[in-house]
């Protein structure tokens, strides 16, 4: 049995335990650094009333606290299912070295967790999306961006 499989089994165990507990959907994730699990996450959307409390996001938040960093340098993430668009974005922003997944997004869609509409919406022009979008106060907001570019003590990410 490989260490990678052990880490994935832990993510799967978290997904099963969470589903059985009724705290959220059947998803789990672990983050590993230097061969050790540093953070665990499981879906908590329904128990916390937080639509962003997906297993991967919960695990990333915990790992960043443990590391005292906003990036997962030298880490790997193991997730019981191929991430949704939000989680995939969070994973890219967190910058782990590698991601492993068990179930696919098709497997998830087959049990009612279908994110395909989000992938399709992303490719559409803002005016063609189902969520109405309207730009306001761009000139005022650009002032903040200009100040950011001139800020000498900013932390780049």
């Amino acid at each position: 049995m490989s260490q990678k499989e052990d880490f994935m089994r832990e993510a799967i165990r978290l997904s099963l335990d969470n589903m059985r507990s009724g705290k959220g959907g059947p998803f789990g994730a672990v983050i590993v650094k230097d061969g050790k699990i540093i953070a665990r996450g499981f879906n908590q959307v329904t128990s916390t009333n937080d639509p962003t409390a997906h297993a991967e996001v919960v695990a990333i938040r915990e790992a960043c606290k443990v590391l005292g960093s906003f990036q997962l340098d030298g880490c790997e993430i193991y997730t019981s299912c191929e991430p949704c668009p939000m989680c995939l974005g969070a994973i890219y922003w967190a910058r782990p070295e590698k991601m492993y997944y068990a179930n696919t997004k098709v497997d998830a869609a087959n049990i009612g967790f279908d994110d395909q509409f989000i992938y399709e919406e992303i490719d559409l022009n803002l005016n063609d999306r189902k969520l109405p979008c309207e730009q306001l106060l761009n000139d005022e907001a650009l002032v903040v961006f200009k100040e950011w570019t001139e800020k000498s003590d900013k932390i780049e990410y």
Side-chain angles (χ1 to χ4, degrees):
M1 203 168 1
S2 80
Q3 197 174 28
K4 290 177 187 176
E5 290 173 345
D6 290 342
F7 296 142
M8 185 57 76
R9 283 190 179 95
E10 177 63 7
I12 294 167
R13 183 193 68 77
L14 288 167
S15 71
L16 180 62
D17 289 353
N18 188 59
M19 177 199 58
R20 288 178 175 169
S21 75
K23 294 179 182 172
F27 304 98
V30 297
I31 297 178
V32 173
K33 183 169 178 127
D34 300 326
K36 294 182 181 153
I37 295 175
I38 63 165
R40 290 171 170 80
F42 53 85
N43 183 285
Q44 300 174 39
V45 170
T46 58
S47 60
T48 62
N49 294 320
D50 180 353
T52 69
H54 289 200
E56 299 90 339
V57 172
V58 171
I60 288 168
R61 289 173 181 163
E62 181 61 28
C64 288
K65 285 180 192 172
V66 167
L67 296 172
S69 174
F70 54 82
Q71 290 187 189
L72 300 178
D73 296 329
C75 294
E76 299 172 334
I77 184 167
Y78 293 77
T79 179
S80 66
C81 187
E82 186 177 358
C84 74
M86 175 186 70
C87 291
L88 186 60
I91 291 166
Y92 270 97
W93 278 114
R95 296 177 175 89
E97 288 187 5
K98 189 164 185 178
M99 177 183 75
Y100 299 89
Y101 65 94
N103 292 320
T104 67
K105 62 183 179 181
V106 173
D107 296 329
N110 288 339
I111 64 162
F113 293 93
D114 190 354
D115 300 318
Q116 186 58 38
F117 77 97
I118 298 173
Y119 290 107
E120 292 169 4
E121 285 282 300
I122 289 169
D123 286 336
L124 295 176
N125 181 294
L126 286 173
N127 295 324
D128 296 328
R129 292 182 181 171
K130 290 179 184 160
L131 178 65
C133 300
E134 180 180 347
Q135 186 176 24
L136 295 172
L137 303 176
N138 180 234
D139 290 340
E140 291 180 32
L142 281 173
V143 171
V144 179
F145 278 12
K146 182 177 185 309
E147 187 172 326
W148 170 258
T149 61
E150 297 167 357
K151 186 173 173 56
S152 63
D153 62 343
K154 66 185 167 203
I155 298 173
E156 300 276 353
Y157 60 98

